[in-house]
Amino acid sequence: MQGGKKQIGVSLNLIRIVLMLVIIMGLSGINCCAGSIVTSNKVILKNQEVIKNIADDKFLIGIFWPPVWEQTNDKQYSTIKEAHVDYIQNVQGNLLDTKERNLKMLLLAKKFGLKMIVADSRVNGSESEIKAMVQDYGKYNATIGYNIADEPGIDGLSAVSNTCKRILNQDNKRILFVNLLPEWAVPNYESDYVARWIEKAGKGNIKYLSFDNYPFFKNGTFRDSYFKNLNIIRQAGLRNGIRTASYLQSIGIADVYRRPNAVEMEYSAFVNLAYGIKNVIWFTYWTPTNRGEVFTNSIIDPSGNRTDLYEPFKKINGEIQQLGKRLIKLDAVEVYHSGSKLPDGVEQIPDTFLWQPDNKSDELIISHLKGVKSDEEYIMVVNKSIIQTNKFFFHIRKPVLRILEVSKVTGKNIRTNFDLKTRLMSEEFLPGEGKLYQLEK
């Protein structure tokens, strides 16, 4: 979702302007984010520049599986907007993927200040069909993108990348949404799948590197390799200058996944924020019926009623919205875990790291975030316990002089109890809670 000779005497500034315009217009293979060096967990970025796209300055919150056709109305779209949702992702094969129904959804989205990723079977059609599809939806400001493919296999990556490039010839401003499989579904996931997808599509054409992986199992356990998957996507995004997207579990599937509770939903959201995700999509919003799989009730039940998950969903989205104002401008350059037993694919906090838990056995995720275009630095801390409120003590190394927490309610900075003399700070975390701190040096 992914020149002419220079005349002597043309100023260097003019050349730079021309090159930047070429990049933004998508007429060049040059990527607007330069390469990177990966050293273990840490990714050192070089010559970073913000990726220019339709959601450039906005952390996006989306929903997958919108209201069914019979419930595509003002009441349901008002309910979506009330919950701090930014966009609706339409789904192919759910009886909403026709021109008539997409257009009605777009009009309702516009009415309630929402955006939409349309789904239309013509996306895989002929050149004339693709052109007609783009003409049908491209004139609507509510159209944020096109749903291209969900979970393509390795053998399908070439066809999907070709589809993307054909659509880019008609519309290079929208998101071409391709969602990748989870790491447990593909051998040699990082090299043979994620890297291959980026190579085939062209990193300058991919607006979001997206994947899904649902961690809450029916037997009450949590998928340990979830963190490994997040880290692979995080590092691939940083190496290639691509923002990352992830689906958050809000539903159960018979005999496989349990229906998450409010704390588990919040926990998975903060985990994703700590790993630098810039676009979260809830799977699912509406409860699907008459499918091959049997789903539990999600945020909205099959009759269009709010379930007990709606208010937590609304609260979590509000918190993401506030923190997202900062996070959209930051990259998660280091992500560490602490605790007595580390999951697969994660790294222990090194002794030299500037933010140290006083008790090494504390179950925490600690993420180091840096500004994409500034020298700002932040730390995000997540309590990995989803059943216990914990008070944690931290030792903060020099040269940090001041620590401010970013309020999840207002988005403004609030004071902490960091003591400059002792270099100690303590904070209480609710189960699954994450907090974002700005560092001043």
Side-chain angles (χ1 to χ4, degrees), residues 251-286:
I251 201 167
I253 300 177
D255 301 324
V256 183
Y257 299 112
R258 70 180 180 271
R259 184 180 192 253
N261 59 35
V263 171
E264 290 169 329
M265 287 171 61
E266 184 168 31
Y267 173 60
S268 65
F270 282 120
V271 167
N272 278 264
L273 299 187
Y275 274 85
I277 294 294
K278 300 293 191 294
N279 178 352
V280 295
I281 311 104
W282 291 95
F283 177 87
T284 64
Y285 175 73
W286 196 271

Side-chain angles (χ1 to χ4, degrees), residues 213-248:
N213 194 348
Y214 305 116
F216 300 111
F217 285 120
K218 181 73 174 178
N219 63 5
T221 61
F222 184 90
R223 191 191 300 274
D224 271 357
S225 63
Y226 186 68
F227 304 111
K228 177 181 179 181
N229 203 157
L230 274 166
N231 208 42
I232 290 171
I233 296 297
R234 178 185 73 88
Q235 292 192 340
L238 291 176
R239 281 196 299 271
N240 294 282
I242 307 170
R243 286 183 175 168
T244 53
S246 174
Y247 288 77
L248 304 182

Side-chain angles (χ1 to χ4, degrees), residues 65-203:
W65 211 271
V68 294
W69 177 243
E70 294 76 14
Q71 297 272 6
T72 302
N73 54 41
D74 283 17
K75 176 185 176 182
Q76 294 298 339
Y77 276 63
S78 174
T79 300
I80 294 170
K81 181 62 178 178
E82 181 185 332
H84 309 291
V85 171
D86 294 307
Y87 74 93
I88 296 164
Q89 184 173 11
N90 199 6
V91 187
Q92 293 189 31
N94 70 341
L95 304 181
L96 288 174
D97 55 356
T98 66
K99 175 182 173 180
E100 172 200 4
R101 297 186 175 188
N102 273 299
L103 292 179
K104 181 176 180 180
M105 293 170 71
L106 283 169
L107 290 174
L108 282 169
K110 178 182 178 182
K111 181 176 181 178
F112 290 96
L114 296 163
K115 301 293 185 182
M116 181 177 158
I117 292 179
V118 299
D120 190 308
S121 60
R122 289 177 292 175
V123 74
N124 296 311
S126 64
E127 292 293 337
S128 61
E129 287 175 315
I130 288 176
K131 184 175 181 180
M133 181 190 74
V134 170
Q135 288 176 343
D136 286 336
Y137 307 128
K139 57 189 175 186
Y140 289 87
N141 289 334
T143 303
I144 198 175
Y146 307 95
N147 196 338
I148 309 300
D150 184 41
E151 298 187 332
I154 291 177
D155 294 340
L157 294 180
S158 293
V160 174
S161 66
N162 289 335
T163 295
C164 290
K165 290 170 184 176
R166 292 165 69 199
I167 296 173
L168 282 171
N169 290 333
Q170 303 291 333
D171 186 347
N172 62 5
K173 296 179 181 179
R174 265 59 178 226
I175 300 167
L176 305 186
F177 209 94
V178 175
N179 179 55
L180 299 181
L181 286 160
E183 59 80 29
W184 54 263
V186 183
N188 303 315
Y189 182 75
E190 185 171 10
S191 59
D192 291 355
Y193 188 59
V194 177
R196 185 178 296 184
W197 163 242
I198 295 170
E199 178 185 5
K200 287 184 176 297
K203 58 187 178 181

Side-chain angles (χ1 to χ4, degrees), residues 295-311:
F295 293 89
T296 66
N297 277 349
S298 186
I299 297 158
I300 304 294
D301 73 17
S303 299
N305 302 307
R306 302 179 185 194
T307 71
D308 59 308
L309 294 183
Y310 178 83
E311 287 301 325

